[in-house]
Amino acid sequence: MSRRSARPPSGRRPGGRRPGGRQPGGRTRRFVATCPQGLEPVLATELEGLGLGPCTPRRGAVAFRGPLSAGYRACLWSRVASRVLVQLGEGPAQDSDALYRTVRGIPWRPHLGPDHTLAVDFVGGNAALRHTGFGARRTKDAICDQLRAATGRRPSIDLEHPDIRVHVHVAGEHCTVSLDLAGDPLHRRSAGVEGGRAPLKETLAAALLLLADWPAAAAAGRALVDPMCGSGSFLREGLAMAVGLPPGLPRRRWGFDRWRAHDRALWEGLVAEARATPRRPPPPVFGYDRDPGALETACAGLAGLGLGEAVRLLRVPLALAEPPTEQPGFVITNPPYGARLGSVADAEAVMALLGDVLRRRFLGWRAFVLTGSPRLARRLGLRPARRIPVWNGRIECRFLDVPISSRPVERDRPDAGPVG
Ligand SMILES: C[S@@+](CC[C@H](N)C(=O)[O-])C[C@H]1O[C@@H](n2cnc3c(N)ncnc32)[C@H](O)[C@@H]1O
């Protein structure tokens, strides 16, 4: 994966350390960016490319340190992180009373008051803290009891859109307590871009594009085609990455908006810098699908990012898909798995057809296919150079890197009839 992919186009790294100078955002803090399991190295490389290293991959997360600006920068620029957490405290949590004492020992008034709304996310656990709901309740009690003792009032709970989202992670007999800087998970890039049937999360689409080294291909002017684009996650992320659009720029709501320690001037400076960063010219990007509703959703999502002009969306069944450029480019796609949409037999037929279309027509192209099972992967009938395990929600998938020969195939496969 190319480091260039993650670095803001200006090449400056304001989230990183400034030798000898005062760090923007003050004292050094501990951050954790979360991601689906298996994508930790991609996220670590991305964050280091943003100047936020050194990064330490953990299970489903990457840890890094820096001033507050480092956390803000991760929120604004990371395409792969699901959440960005800033640690507020840590301590013993061998049982619920120990957890309560640790949380109550953290000074909460610098972070929130009784007029804030609060939610607690609890992950991990141990023999005495097996139920995440119970752990979350004890955490909430500790915070509310401390604030009531100090002010006579306590914050109320809002599980959907809290002012402050506290994240507790228990591993063994230890807990870390953090503030969720993102609030809503970061794959929700902006309101109105959701929809489609079985859409891929933006953060996963971005991670796969980085694994495929798409930024280098985009910089070389190669085309990107998703022949089953659905709501267009690969198109949006591929284009945003290629032109250098910061993924956090369209978001209107953050987990730090009402945080008492939020440094508004620092954040606004980083946003202004991100806005002013020059964009690169867009490479040719094409999305095909047989479903007009999916194409409408893709169109709306691209328009919402101001990228509508840069993509050609066409209603084309896979059986008729053709390379849109003479120069070989990049195919990246997420065919149906037969899990959420349609049957497994349909999904297998689509994979066989995809293999045939690629072998016969996309000569010399490079294809990347996210597939839901080894059996489906075999139906492609093409030999992958890499098979990378990744999780799409609860489905363990394989991301196949398939170089396609530039020589025409001599014989047609007998088992691939037209589908779609
Ligand atoms: C799993 S969805 C893709 C989701 C997409 N990655 C997204 O983020 O929304 C699979 C897509 O393949 C399309 N599709 C399935 N069979 C097809 C065919 N034979 N020709 C064209 N499109 C097809 C479906 O309409 C659907 O939009």
Side-chain angles (χ1 to χ4, degrees), residues 2 27 43 61 121 134 145 174-175 218 235 309 325 359 364 396:
S2 151
R27 69 185 166 85
L43 177 56
D121 291 342
F134 178 57
D145 290 352
H174 188 83
C175 69
L235 309 179
E309 297 292 302
T325 55
R359 279 189 328 150
E396 188 182 355

Side-chain angles (χ1 to χ4, degrees), residues 253-301:
R253 198 171 53 218
W254 293 95
F256 49 70
D257 286 336
R258 297 215 58 221
W259 179 35
R260 281 183 169 169
H262 175 39
D263 186 336
R264 195 169 301 280
L266 176 66
W267 170 251
E268 284 172 1
L270 291 171
V271 169
E273 179 197 73
R275 278 219 175 86
T277 306
R279 306 280 176 256
R280 293 178 287 260
V285 175
F286 300 82
Y288 309 150
D289 206 287
R290 67 180 175 191
D291 175 0
L295 291 168
E296 265 172 40
T297 307
C299 185

Side-chain angles (χ1 to χ4, degrees), residues 36-409:
Q37 267 182 53
L39 296 179
E40 300 90 344
V42 186
L43 177 56
T45 305
E46 185 198 43
L47 294 176
E48 288 185 350
L50 290 168
L52 304 179
C55 290
T56 311
R58 295 188 185 154
R59 198 156 165 239
V62 170
F64 60 101
R65 290 170 188 241
L68 185 55
S69 58
Y72 285 167
R73 177 158 281 278
C75 287
L76 196 51
W77 283 97
S78 173
R79 302 180 193 281
V80 178
S82 309
R83 295 182 179 279
V84 178
L85 312 171
V86 57
Q87 189 174 311
L88 304 180
E90 62 180 326
Q94 66 274 24
D95 55 33
S96 75
D97 290 340
L99 171 71
Y100 179 94
R101 283 192 298 275
T102 294
V103 177
R104 184 131 187 203
I106 296 169
W108 286 100
R109 288 178 76 191
H111 304 295
L112 79 165
D115 293 325
H116 284 86
T117 57
L118 173 69
V120 177
D121 291 342
F122 188 95
V123 300
N126 56 34
L129 282 167
R130 263 176 295 176
H131 300 291
T132 53
F134 178 57
R137 213 162 44 245
R138 291 292 279 166
T139 304
K140 182 244 331 161
D141 287 347
I143 299 170
C144 290
D145 290 352
Q146 186 194 99
L147 290 172
R148 188 165 34 211
T151 69
R153 291 186 305 126
R154 45 157 286 180
S156 50
I157 303 303
D158 178 349
L159 297 179
E160 283 295 304
H161 299 297
D163 296 327
I164 298 292
R165 187 176 284 280
V166 170
H167 182 101
V168 180
H169 179 231
V170 171
E173 301 196 336
H174 188 83
C175 69
T176 48
V177 182
S178 308
L179 174 85
D180 185 339
L181 292 174
D184 287 341
L186 290 172
H187 76 266
R188 296 197 192 133
R189 305 281 196 231
S190 65
V193 182
E194 288 178 31
R197 301 160 80 217
L200 207 56
K201 280 186 179 162
E202 280 74 356
T203 41
L204 177 57
L208 298 178
L209 284 155
L210 290 173
L211 274 171
D213 214 4
W214 158 243
R222 296 287 167 90
L224 181 143
V225 183
D226 183 346
M228 286 175 276
C229 68
S231 62
S233 304
F234 280 132
L235 309 179
R236 281 194 304 280
E237 290 303 309
L239 202 53
M241 207 177 266
V243 302
L245 185 72
L249 214 46
R251 265 169 80 106
R252 291 289 159 263
R253 198 171 53 218
W254 293 95
F256 49 70
D257 286 336
R258 297 215 58 221
W259 179 35
R260 281 183 169 169
H262 175 39
D263 186 336
R264 195 169 301 280
L266 176 66
W267 170 251
E268 284 172 1
L270 291 171
V271 169
E273 179 197 73
R275 278 219 175 86
T277 306
R279 306 280 176 256
R280 293 178 287 260
V285 175
F286 300 82
Y288 309 150
D289 206 287
R290 67 180 175 191
D291 175 0
L295 291 168
E296 265 172 40
T297 307
C299 185
L302 286 156
L305 290 181
L307 298 173
E309 297 292 302
V311 180
R312 289 207 63 195
L313 293 171
L314 298 171
R315 186 177 175 193
V316 177
L318 179 60
L320 300 182
E322 295 276 356
T325 55
E326 266 182 34
Q327 190 193 29
F330 223 77
V331 173
I332 187 161
T333 196
N334 168 213
Y337 310 155
R340 287 186 278 181
L341 299 178
S343 70
V344 173
D346 286 348
E348 288 186 4
V350 171
M351 278 300 266
L353 176 61
L354 176 63
D356 262 25
V357 167
L358 292 173
R359 279 189 328 150
R360 289 184 202 157
R361 302 193 195 132
F362 285 76
L363 305 183
W365 284 56
R366 185 134 196 167
F368 293 89
V369 182
L370 182 66
T371 177
S373 74
R375 192 184 154 99
L376 277 174
R378 281 195 295 277
R379 294 291 289 160
L380 193 62
L382 290 165
R383 189 185 296 275
R386 290 186 293 165
R387 272 188 203 87
I388 304 168
V390 289
W391 287 85
N392 180 5
R394 286 163 186 239
I395 305 174
E396 188 182 355
C397 296
R398 292 290 178 275
F399 186 52
L400 309 175
D401 171 356
V402 190
I404 300 161
S405 168
S406 48
R407 276 178 301 161
V409 283

